[in-house]
Amino acid sequence: METAVTKTGTEDKIWGGGNKPLKVSYGKMMMWFFILSDALTFSGFLAAYGFSRFKFIDSWPIADQVFNHFPFLHGVDAPMYYVALMTFILIFSSVTMVLAVDAGHHMKQKKVIFYMFLTIIGGAIFVGSQAWEWKNFIKGEYGAVETKGGQILQFVDTQGHRVGLKDIAIIDTHKEREQHERKNGLWYSKEGTLPTYTVSEIANGFTKNTNLLIRTQELVPDIEKLKASEKASDIAYATKLEKELVNPEAKGEKAIYKREYSLKRMGSVIGTVEGANLTHNEYGTPLFANFFFFITGFHGFHVFSGVIINIIIFINVILGTYERRKNYEMVEKVGLYWHFVDLVWVFVFTFFYLV
């Protein structure tokens, strides 16, 4: 007995399990799957960063005051210049990758070699630049002090310019310094390395230099809004800030306190901080450093991996591997990865440096 089969009219439109679903090769589709999964990973990291920043928005470091270094311009305030240069180089390498893929479509081996070489150079410069930026972030330039409550206090002059610990400290040459040990100490913590300056050396220098003030990690609130509040506590707080702050009108900037209050805050200092790591950060909350190291490091690993893969494909192009295959699809697949890495950096750049 024959079985009746109902025709739907869509039989020739259903993918039958061949090696080119959606007219895309298996390798290219797997690259898209990887990009999608990696995009979800980066989205989770950036969402966590955004949540943490919103939670600590009143004490989050200001990017212009953190990333203001430029090679061979020591002591010159160049906010975001070097990061902008890094971003331009990475985006330009994405352009050269597009040109390499296009040359591959036209089977022009020499042009593919040339544009892939530029892409590799751009990626290598970006990775090196990121390493240089990490080095400056970890080492620090000015230094700060930390209070018992974990607040970071920076030093500025009467013009609001940062002043380094080395310009403040009065070193006691008659006292031999000892490393702080767990058994002797505060919070039962051990000093990892001997700090460059002691708290007493910084405190003595700060007391004797009357041109120094303290800048805290808190942002100046909208004092006019607080004064217009119906809550008596808000009005009292606004009045207090107007008396203590040097810059009460500078809403959204770091709070700088007058000399009298600065001396008072120095009494709660328990240690010095130079640079940033996973537990201390001279620019503000350590959570900022944790996210910076993790997210930019994760992205940097992707760029480094892309450079290595590009080098491998580049060598194959020189050897004529894809000429013999009559296609440059491998160049196109690595190009997809490279464009993804560039796109992710646009979001990382926006979250960490612009917003």
Side-chain angles (χ1 to χ4, degrees):
M1 181 182 294
E2 295 184 359
T3 303
V5 179
T6 303
K7 299 290 185 179
T8 64
T10 60
E11 289 77 14
D12 59 338
K13 298 180 181 179
I14 300 174
W15 177 46
N19 67 346
K20 284 197 173 185
L22 306 178
K23 295 183 179 181
V24 177
S25 68
Y26 177 81
K28 195 183 294 185
M29 177 162 280
M30 290 303 103
M31 177 59 76
W32 276 112
F33 283 161
F34 168 77
I35 288 174
L36 179 61
S37 63
D38 218 25
L40 293 174
T41 303
F42 273 106
S43 298
F45 293 158
L46 292 175
Y49 172 84
F51 173 80
S52 299
R53 175 168 181 170
F54 179 77
K55 184 177 181 180
F56 300 101
I57 193 169
D58 293 333
S59 60
W60 205 255
I62 298 175
D64 284 354
Q65 298 174 359
V66 178
F67 308 105
N68 58 353
H69 307 91
F70 204 92
F72 311 113
L73 296 179
H74 180 71
V76 177
D77 190 31
M80 311 298 292
Y81 291 2
Y82 194 59
V83 180
L85 177 62
M86 288 168 52
T87 304
F88 172 79
I89 291 172
L90 191 63
I91 292 176
F92 184 76
S93 73
S94 195
V95 174
T96 57
M97 178 56 80
V98 169
L99 295 174
V101 172
D102 182 67
H105 287 161
H106 293 87
M107 300 299 292
K108 296 179 180 179
Q109 181 184 16
K110 291 184 178 179
K111 284 191 174 182
V112 175
I113 292 173
F114 175 70
Y115 289 125
M116 283 207 70
F117 176 74
L118 293 181
T119 303
I120 291 168
I121 293 299
I125 292 174
F126 180 85
V127 172
S129 300
Q130 205 165 41
W132 183 85
E133 188 183 45
W134 268 45
K135 185 263 293 181
N136 283 280
F137 186 68
I138 293 171
K139 183 181 177 182
E141 183 175 1
Y142 296 100
V145 292
E146 187 175 13
T147 67
K148 294 177 182 178
Q151 295 288 309
I152 295 297
L153 306 180
Q154 301 171 345
F155 298 102
V156 297
D157 58 22
T158 52
Q159 304 300 317
H161 301 136
R162 282 289 300 275
V163 180
L165 297 183
K166 66 181 185 333
D167 299 319
I168 299 173
I170 297 179
I171 300 176
D172 187 354
T173 58
H174 301 289
K175 184 178 180 181
E176 185 177 353
R177 298 178 60 195
E178 296 181 359
Q179 190 164 2
H180 174 72
E181 296 183 359
R182 194 185 304 270
K183 63 182 180 180
N184 300 328
L186 195 61
W187 311 118
Y188 300 98
S189 61
K190 181 180 179 181
E191 209 168 41
T193 56
L194 197 64
T196 308
Y197 309 102
T198 65
V199 173
S200 60
E201 290 171 345
I202 299 298
N204 290 338
F206 182 81
T207 302
K208 293 182 179 180
N209 191 339
T210 57
N211 292 321
L212 294 178
L213 303 172
I214 276 179
R215 184 170 73 184
T216 66
Q217 65 185 50
E218 295 95 356
L219 301 179
V220 177
D222 189 340
I223 292 181
E224 293 301 322
K225 184 177 180 180
L226 289 174
K227 290 169 69 175
S229 173
E230 296 180 356
K231 294 182 180 179
S233 58
D234 289 344
I235 298 174
Y237 180 58
T239 304
K240 178 174 177 291
L241 286 178
E242 279 189 318
K243 293 179 180 179
E244 295 176 343
L245 288 177
V246 174
N247 57 340
E249 72 289 343
K251 176 189 172 184
E253 296 183 11
K254 295 296 182 180
I256 300 176
Y257 285 88
K258 295 178 180 178
R259 180 68 181 173
E260 183 179 354
Y261 185 77
S262 296
L263 290 169
K264 182 180 178 181
R265 287 297 298 269
M266 282 299 295
S268 62
V269 170
I270 61 170
T272 59
V273 180
E274 296 178 78
N277 52 48
L278 297 179
T279 55
H280 300 283
N281 178 12
E282 75 167 56
Y283 306 102
T285 173
L287 194 59
F288 174 82
N290 296 343
F291 275 112
F292 176 79
F293 288 129
F294 189 79
I295 295 179
T296 63
F298 192 58
H299 177 266
F301 172 76
H302 278 69
V303 177
F304 176 76
S305 301
V307 171
I308 298 301
I309 296 170
N310 273 328
I311 291 174
I312 295 172
I313 302 301
F314 177 71
I315 293 173
N316 284 335
V317 173
I318 293 175
L319 295 176
T321 301
Y322 309 121
E323 284 289 319
R324 291 190 293 272
R325 293 182 185 176
K326 304 300 182 183
N327 73 79
Y328 280 82
E329 186 177 292
M330 285 302 296
V331 176
E332 189 173 355
K333 284 189 283 190
V334 75
L336 288 173
Y337 175 80
W338 195 254
H339 296 322
F340 166 72
V341 168
D342 287 5
L343 180 61
V344 168
W345 177 251
V346 171
F347 285 96
V348 173
F349 176 76
T350 301
F351 271 65
F352 272 98
Y353 303 98
L354 295 184
V355 178

